[in-house]
Amino acid sequence: MLNVKQLNFSYDQTPILKDINFSVNAGEHLAIIGESGSGKSTLLKLLYGEYDVTEGRVFWKSTEILGPKFNLVVGYDFIKYVAQEFDLMPFISVEENVGKYLSNFFPKEKIERTNELLEVVELSNFAKTKVKTLSGGQKQRVALARALAKQPELLLLDEPFSHIDNFKKQSLRRRLFKYLKDKNIACIVATHDSEDVLGYADEMIVLHQANIIAKNSPEQLYRHPETPLIASFFGEFNVINDDFIYAHQLKVVAKSNLNAIVKQCYFKGSFYLIEADFKGKTLFFEHRLKLDVGQSAYLEITK
């Protein structure tokens, strides 16, 4: 289990994280969200031991995670961290990068392990390719596979799918998070993308102005967002009578007290996202049909 107790961190007297407390059990997945500059990446680096905490303590089981003041070599064997900078070896192949830290005393097992991980990140066809020739998204997948090579107990991921093409993201997420669950590997993901969270994370924390402002399951935070920051993470939303109402929760009806005038219409595939004016305020709602600019639409809230 990871235990973070009263963690505080500052850069040059500027508080970056204050009174951070949470825990993650083996096999659990935690998502960390927040605006850019909220401290997500800094928190991951503290958990990895890349920085020294200003106050507080971090433990994995009975081992205290300490920073460079205490460790000549940053990091621990049981924790792997995949940063937004991949730190790969460009002039050797994909399979050599993944197998770099696996023992050569067991060549058959090394090959099998490398092939298994290349399948997880969908790079089997690129095994012999030199890393320098890969795209940014492919390099990100190599970094993920390499982090898993020695089967860590805790995996830290910073925007793990940010460089990966949309058509690859969905299947890669499913493969990776299923693999982590199957192997009972704890995982902490810092992300801006709700698709990295919904369906995969057991718990989610929200960082804002150096503090944790919310901590709960993604489903609970989705269904009951308490701040605009949380609601916006999950999609377009409106504030109606002090409630947060997602765009898909507004339905076009024949008559209601909520009458909006269409300002813009955006095609989203299976629906149109409609931007409308309601008493001088902008509303967003979804509709299966395109509506004309200037058209009147009566809306009803459906939760």
Side-chain angles (χ1 to χ4, degrees), residues 2-282:
L2 178 75
N3 267 314
V4 179
K5 302 177 179 180
Q6 291 297 120
L7 185 147
N8 289 267
F9 181 76
S10 302
Y11 285 124
D12 300 325
Q13 308 301 316
T14 302
I16 304 299
L17 295 166
K18 296 187 292 188
D19 299 327
I20 304 298
N21 294 276
F22 64 88
S23 62
V24 181
N25 292 315
E28 285 186 344
H29 294 178
L30 171 71
I32 303 171
I33 75 158
E35 298 168 292
S36 295
S38 62
K40 299 189 301 297
S41 296
T42 300
L43 179 54
L44 291 188
K45 290 176 180 178
L46 287 164
L47 300 180
Y48 185 57
E50 189 168 327
Y51 295 157
D52 294 295
V53 301
T54 305
E55 293 179 37
R57 304 179 80 178
V58 178
F59 287 89
W60 175 257
K61 298 179 180 176
S62 60
T63 301
E64 185 168 9
I65 306 302
L66 300 171
K69 286 182 181 177
F70 303 90
N71 293 322
L72 289 174
V73 178
V74 168
Y76 294 79
D77 288 341
F78 50 83
I79 303 176
K80 291 301 177 187
Y81 171 43
V82 180
Q84 295 185 54
E85 303 81 30
F86 310 132
D87 192 28
L88 300 173
M89 291 166 280
F91 299 106
I92 62 175
S93 70
V94 168
E95 65 181 3
E96 288 172 319
N97 265 272
V98 175
K100 178 70 175 176
Y101 301 108
L102 295 175
S103 174
N104 290 318
F105 286 106
F106 305 98
K108 181 182 177 184
E109 288 80 359
K110 179 175 180 175
I111 292 171
E112 289 175 351
R113 178 78 177 137
T114 300
N115 289 339
E116 176 191 22
L117 293 171
L118 290 181
E119 188 174 337
V120 170
V121 299
E122 301 180 352
L123 282 177
S124 299
N125 292 337
F126 294 86
K128 306 295 183 184
T129 304
K130 282 188 169 55
V131 164
K132 69 175 183 177
T133 67
L134 299 179
S135 69
Q138 289 169 328
K139 289 176 182 176
Q140 193 163 33
R141 286 147 63 191
V142 176
L144 287 168
R146 190 178 67 172
L148 292 170
K150 296 189 76 171
Q151 199 153 311
E153 296 177 60
L154 173 62
L155 183 64
L156 308 174
L157 302 175
D158 194 354
E159 301 286 353
F161 310 106
S162 58
H163 293 78
I164 296 170
D165 296 333
N166 284 333
F167 76 92
K168 278 286 184 188
K169 279 184 182 181
Q170 298 294 1
S171 62
L172 180 59
R173 281 190 190 100
R174 288 192 290 268
R175 281 176 175 267
L176 176 64
F177 290 125
K178 180 180 185 303
Y179 178 87
L180 296 176
K181 281 292 186 184
D182 289 346
K183 301 297 183 181
N184 204 38
I185 298 172
C187 177
I188 300 178
V189 182
T191 183
H192 286 94
D193 191 343
S194 63
E195 292 292 330
D196 296 343
V197 179
L198 292 172
Y200 304 112
D202 300 298
E203 191 170 52
M204 171 176 147
I205 63 176
V206 183
L207 288 176
H208 182 60
Q209 295 182 347
N211 294 285
I212 292 177
I213 62 166
K215 180 170 64 173
N216 212 320
S217 70
E219 182 175 353
Q220 284 300 310
L221 291 176
Y222 171 82
R223 294 187 185 280
H224 308 287
E226 295 181 354
T227 69
L229 175 63
I230 298 171
S232 66
F233 178 74
F234 295 112
E236 295 287 359
F237 73 98
N238 310 283
V239 181
I240 301 175
N241 297 327
D242 296 326
D243 285 336
F244 295 106
I245 307 297
Y246 294 111
H248 72 269
Q249 294 176 316
L250 286 175
K251 177 184 177 182
V252 176
V253 294
K255 198 75 174 176
S256 76
N257 294 325
L258 207 167
N259 183 16
I261 305 301
V262 175
K263 293 167 57 179
Q264 196 60 261
C265 195
Y266 306 95
F267 178 64
K268 293 291 185 177
S270 60
F271 64 91
Y272 288 89
L273 178 67
I274 313 297
E275 181 181 355
D277 178 83
F278 174 66
K279 296 182 178 179
K281 294 183 179 180
T282 298

